[in-house]
Amino acid sequence: MIQRILKIRGLRHFSLAIVSAFAWLPYSGVARAQDDLQILSRIAFGSCAKQTDPCPIWETIADYQPELTLLLGDNVYADILDGRLKPATPQRIADAYATLAKDPGFARLRSCSPIMAVWDDHDYGNNDSGVEWEHKRPAAELFHDFFGTPADSPLRKQAGVYQARIFGPPGKRTQIILLDTRFFRSPLEKGTAPLPGFRALPYVPNTKPDATILGEAQWKWLEEQLRLPAEIRIIGSSIQVVSSEHPFEKWDNFPLERSRLFELIQRTAASGVVILSGDRHLGEISLEPLAVGYPLYDITASGLNQATQGWREVEPNQFRVAALPYGNHFGTVEIDWSSAVPLIKLQLRHEDGEIAVQTRVPLDVLTARPPSLPRPAGVLSVAEVLLVDEGAAVQVQFAVRGARAVSGDRWLLNSEIDFRNSRNFTAVLNRGGRSSLPPNASPDSLIGKTIRVNGNISLYNGSKQIQIDTESQWEIVSESGVGDGER
Ligand SMILES: [Fe+2]
């Protein structure tokens, strides 16, 4: 917007110098290896702000004085008309942004903090929509107009509104990667019966091999980004990455894409990744301990003014480590670069700015180890083996996340912490398969190790497993659980 004004005044050739002089200007989001020498130590983020409802939290965020604010989608609700969901027109999207621009709290935040944004479905213009949305191109133009993307930015020509920037000098770099989970996303698949405790029909895994969330161009770009040097990498995704059990929108509706993301982080040895997400009208911190070889946090801040107001039962989420299941809120990431090992504080804050939940993560905990043992050709991941028919002979490799002894002198080695998870695969280690283990070995001693198993797929209570009866059917290929290349 500022650049347009400058252009009108014939001052365009001064615009670059002026843009770098005023830190409050909206960032263009053009990805370069080293965008800005500013060290980030206070980042605010959030999602789900209905422009027609009061939103006092904009003032609270402005009071927090973030060095950068990340808006993770549903930044306006353009697809609601007369209180009902109705696909937006470009005019209604423009009107929704115009209403948000007039909000004094938002205007104040915009004047004191740079903002980087990505969209979700309601600002994209159509509830739960993806690649098929007819107005996605005008919606992208309106998005860029509102967030001040310069007219000559490559982002204006790119399909999809994904973007990235790196802040800070070597040793103190924070990379911001915002993913577009809408523009390329394949259609969702609906189940036929509600899950217990939910009214709506659930989305069920779309496992078609060509089904995608990011699309190939964005995947290629993401790999390039993850290979750039940075100490901390904040990946913003409008929908949750780690939480996998609720029936709504989430990465696990495309389990092969979720696996691909985890594998990509491992393969690029990208350290310091933290996921920020939105969409769910609740706040929570999820932690996937093994998927990328180090603890992967996903902090969901959803409800700048749309969170459920009364107490809300927490949803099933085996990865949840902290919950803020009601009340409007925003998230903050604080980075203390002064300690010997930089400390990251992941926080959710109430509408008045008070910290509701917090977890502290020393940066060295998020250290990538290159995948030591990638899967050889023909060895399947869990996501792949779950698609194989009963009776088929396969080889599968996975990290053991849960293990226990059951009657019949069998050890169940599970790919999920909770064996009831629909994404779980089990290797049943019978006595005949345990002869080479030390006498004091227990099921627990195998947790965290990566195993490769061969045998025929069988079914137990609808879950897929392989029975291991001889030593030749399995081996431990990594003691660390890193490099399992699966999920
Ligand atoms: Fe959403």
Side-chain angles (χ1 to χ4, degrees):
M1 188 187 300
I2 294 294
Q3 291 223 341
R4 285 187 171 180
I5 295 165
L6 294 169
K7 224 190 284 179
I8 291 165
R9 293 181 182 170
L11 291 171
R12 189 165 177 235
H13 57 292
F14 287 115
S15 64
L16 269 182
I18 292 170
V19 164
S20 26
F22 290 89
W24 48 265
L25 287 178
Y27 282 111
S28 70
V30 180
R32 293 193 297 267
Q34 185 67 49
D35 277 331
D36 195 320
L37 290 179
Q38 185 191 354
I39 297 167
L40 291 184
S41 56
R42 292 166 69 82
I43 302 166
F45 66 100
S47 66
C48 304
K50 195 189 276 183
Q51 73 285 353
T52 49
D53 289 352
C55 193
I57 209 165
W58 293 130
E59 296 279 3
T60 313
I61 300 174
D63 290 343
Y64 175 77
Q65 299 187 316
E67 294 153 348
L68 177 66
T69 300
L70 304 175
L71 299 183
L72 298 177
D74 295 338
N75 307 320
V76 291
Y77 283 64
D79 57 350
I80 294 182
L81 193 63
D82 301 328
R84 287 171 174 263
L85 283 169
K86 186 172 181 200
T89 60
Q91 186 58 52
R92 280 170 48 211
I93 298 172
D95 292 346
Y97 281 130
T99 303
L100 176 57
K102 281 187 220 140
D103 184 299
F106 180 77
R108 187 177 147 228
L109 173 62
R110 182 138 82 159
S111 73
C112 68
S113 169
I115 292 176
M116 288 178 70
V118 76
W119 58 20
D120 199 37
D121 50 344
H122 297 295
D123 36 0
Y124 188 51
N126 190 14
N127 185 45
D128 288 3
S129 61
V131 67
E132 73 287 353
W133 171 231
E134 63 173 313
H135 294 315
K136 62 183 180 180
R137 289 181 194 280
E141 237 175 85
L142 292 162
F143 172 94
H144 287 307
D145 288 347
F146 182 72
F147 288 108
T149 308
D152 56 354
S153 165
L155 286 180
R156 295 267 187 178
K157 298 195 182 79
Q158 172 189 287
V161 299
Y162 55 89
Q163 56 181 295
R165 293 181 67 93
I166 295 173
F167 297 83
K172 297 183 176 177
R173 288 167 295 207
T174 302
Q175 181 182 36
I176 307 290
I177 299 175
L178 299 182
L179 302 177
D180 186 332
T181 64
R182 295 288 161 190
F183 198 92
F184 306 96
R185 199 216 63 210
S186 302
L188 294 161
E189 292 198 356
K190 266 232 152 121
T192 51
L195 295 180
F198 293 97
R199 272 177 300 172
L201 287 179
Y203 289 121
V204 294
N206 181 340
T207 52
K208 294 189 182 84
D210 58 350
T212 189
I213 293 178
L214 298 187
E216 280 314 306
Q218 188 174 186
W219 273 118
K220 184 167 173 288
W221 167 87
L222 178 58
E223 176 159 359
E224 289 163 8
Q225 293 302 318
L226 290 174
R227 291 189 186 283
L228 294 175
E231 282 65 43
I232 296 176
R233 304 169 196 274
I234 291 176
I235 300 183
S237 164
S238 68
I239 54 172
Q240 290 182 311
V241 172
V242 169
S243 177
S244 61
E245 290 152 85
H246 65 71
F248 308 107
E249 287 214 83
K250 57 190 182 292
W251 271 71
D252 204 41
N253 289 338
F254 298 85
L256 297 175
E257 288 282 274
R258 184 169 177 263
S259 305
R260 183 174 178 175
L261 179 62
F262 295 157
E263 287 197 345
L264 181 64
I265 294 169
Q266 277 203 310
R267 186 157 49 80
T268 54
S271 291
V273 171
V274 173
I275 309 270
L276 308 182
S277 60
D279 178 56
R280 294 292 306 113
H281 296 199
L282 53 77
E284 62 186 5
I285 301 180
S286 302
L287 171 58
E288 216 300 355
L290 293 168
V292 301
Y294 58 82
L296 181 65
Y297 283 92
D298 180 350
I299 305 97
T300 305
S302 171
L304 290 166
N305 71 355
Q306 292 300 298
T308 309
Q309 295 309 305
W311 178 261
R312 169 178 176 176
E313 289 298 318
V314 292
E315 294 175 346
N317 177 5
Q318 65 171 311
F319 301 108
R320 182 188 304 110
V321 291
L324 179 57
Y326 72 100
N328 295 327
H329 58 274
F330 66 107
T332 45
V333 178
E334 296 188 349
I335 306 161
D336 180 358
W337 294 101
S338 67
S339 49
V341 175
L343 189 66
I344 308 172
K345 296 177 188 169
L346 307 170
Q347 302 162 333
L348 293 172
R349 292 171 181 259
H350 292 296
E351 205 163 40
D352 61 4
E354 188 181 1
I355 294 173
V357 295
Q358 168 172 258
T359 186
R360 292 181 178 205
V361 188
L363 181 56
D364 60 355
V365 168
L366 310 181
T367 302
R369 286 165 289 179
S372 52
L373 288 163
R375 279 183 286 118
V379 176
L380 305 182
S381 68
V382 167
E384 289 167 337
V385 82
L386 290 174
L387 304 177
V388 171
D389 291 335
E390 185 180 7
V394 295
Q395 280 194 82
V396 57
Q397 182 171 308
F398 66 93
V400 177
R401 292 178 171 80
R404 65 198 179 107
V406 293
S407 62
D409 200 14
R410 296 170 300 148
W411 293 3
L412 305 184
L413 310 181
N414 296 312
S415 67
E416 297 287 337
I417 298 166
D418 181 351
F419 66 89
R420 289 162 294 213
N421 187 304
S422 62
R423 313 306 305 158
N424 183 56
F425 179 79
T426 304
V428 183
L429 187 55
N430 296 313
R431 177 188 280 270
R434 300 203 299 265
S435 51
S436 66
L437 288 176
N440 60 349
S442 66
D444 278 357
S445 67
L446 294 173
I447 291 177
K449 296 184 178 177
T450 300
I451 61 173
R452 192 176 300 157
V453 175
N454 65 82
N456 294 88
I457 298 291
S458 55
L459 278 178
Y460 180 78
N461 282 346
S463 297
K464 292 194 169 149
Q465 54 178 231
I466 287 178
Q467 297 280 340
I468 302 174
D469 294 308
T470 67
E471 279 299 323
S472 64
Q473 275 186 271
W474 78 297
E475 61 181 315
I476 295 171
V477 292
S478 167
E479 295 289 325
S480 66
V482 175
D484 58 344
E486 53 89 43
R487 288 174 68 83

